[in-house]
């Protein structure tokens, strides 16, 4: 029962994830920080991300 409730909860969140994650200033800030971090890590290994 609980497993189904958790699964449904995350399914409901998934419908608006991109909007909630990227369409506000904090989400855009976090996205930029993540991209910077990964670019830094992958450049050290001569791998680039786009």
């Amino acid at each position: 029962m609980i497993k189904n409730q958790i699964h449904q909860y995350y399914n409901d969140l998934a419908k608006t994830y991109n909007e909630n994650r990227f369409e506000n200033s904090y989400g855009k800030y976090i996205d930029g920080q993540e991209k910077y971090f990964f670019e830094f890590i992958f450049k050290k290994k001569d791998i680039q991300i786009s």
Side-chain angles (χ1 to χ4, degrees), residues 26-39:
Y26 183 69
K28 290 175 183 177
Y29 170 77
I30 295 299
D31 185 52
Q33 293 297 303
E34 290 170 344
K35 288 177 179 173
Y36 175 80
F37 171 77
F38 286 120
E39 189 73 25

